[in-house]
Amino acid sequence: MRALRLAVVLACCALPAAGQDLMRSVEMPAHQALVKSIGTAALSPFETDGCSGGLSTSWRLVAETFPKFSLLYEAHPPWEYCCVTHDRAYHNAGGALQANASFDARLAADDALRTCVKTHGETYADEYAERYDMKPDQIRSVHSITSEAMFMAVRFGGGPCSGLPWRWGFGYPGCSVFDTPARD
């Protein structure tokens, strides 16, 4: 299943329009299961880990362990606010109440994350270039690469009903595409 999902994600990057159609068809059962579970579930209070997948946690650990790192690179990822905004959308599944709307809202949230990280790099390129003894174009490039990597990571690992703590709709109780309807 993971190999199939990786192939689908890679296809989505190579062929954006056809890739999104393929991704929609693969992911739709999970969005349908999520929407079904939302109907009877209460939304938990919002919580965030900053940038999921261990990014913020690892960054903070390195910053605490190596104070010079923290002085130079800060105590948290400088674009962490982008991740918190992204987490807000993921928490309540973008407010979607239909499976197609849920897929579209997730894609929009993931694209907004990518855009936010890239824009952060563009906005602070001159400041960071001076701080890190780099050229502004290098800063922009690093943020662009980072934003694409983050987009790919959330597209691959953030789907609904995955059981992961950073899944789409994480504010609702877990759901499963393997639930079978009750039989009479």
Side-chain angles (χ1 to χ4, degrees):
M1 180 68 173
R2 288 184 187 190
L4 171 64
R5 207 152 185 206
L6 179 58
V8 169
V9 170
L10 293 175
C12 291
C13 296
L15 307 167
Q20 289 308 323
D21 289 343
L22 177 60
M23 191 67 167
R24 182 182 297 271
S25 67
V26 168
E27 202 173 288
M28 195 51 61
H31 286 279
Q32 291 166 341
L34 172 63
V35 167
K36 182 180 174 186
S37 73
I38 286 174
T40 59
L43 184 65
S44 68
F46 176 72
E47 292 184 26
T48 182
D49 61 356
C51 296
S52 299
L55 180 60
S56 286
T57 302
S58 298
W59 192 294
R60 283 188 179 88
L61 176 64
V62 170
E64 290 169 7
T65 305
F66 305 101
K68 288 182 182 178
F69 176 94
S70 181
L71 289 173
L72 185 60
Y73 299 110
E74 302 179 28
H76 55 86
W79 58 81
E80 190 172 68
Y81 64 93
C82 301
C83 299
V84 173
T85 299
H86 185 252
D87 282 357
R88 287 193 184 283
Y90 263 57
H91 177 251
N92 73 344
L97 299 176
Q98 295 176 338
N100 279 321
S102 177
F103 179 89
D104 292 342
R106 178 170 177 251
L107 182 58
D110 294 347
D111 189 51
L113 173 65
R114 173 173 51 188
T115 299
C116 184
V117 172
K118 187 174 182 179
T119 301
H120 178 88
E122 292 167 358
T123 302
Y124 292 98
D126 292 333
E127 178 185 327
Y128 291 166
E130 186 175 322
R131 182 190 298 178
Y132 305 134
D133 193 27
M134 296 173 73
K135 294 183 170 121
D137 283 345
Q138 290 174 307
I139 298 298
R140 288 183 197 95
S141 179
V142 166
H143 278 75
S144 181
I145 292 166
T146 300
S147 72
E148 291 299 327
M150 291 174 74
F151 178 81
M152 297 264 307
V154 295
R155 293 306 300 157
F156 181 70
C161 303
S162 67
L164 296 170
W166 53 75
R167 71 190 182 280
W168 180 251
F170 71 83
Y172 294 105
C175 55
S176 173
V177 296
F178 300 112
D179 288 344
T180 55
R183 294 185 181 172
D184 295 318

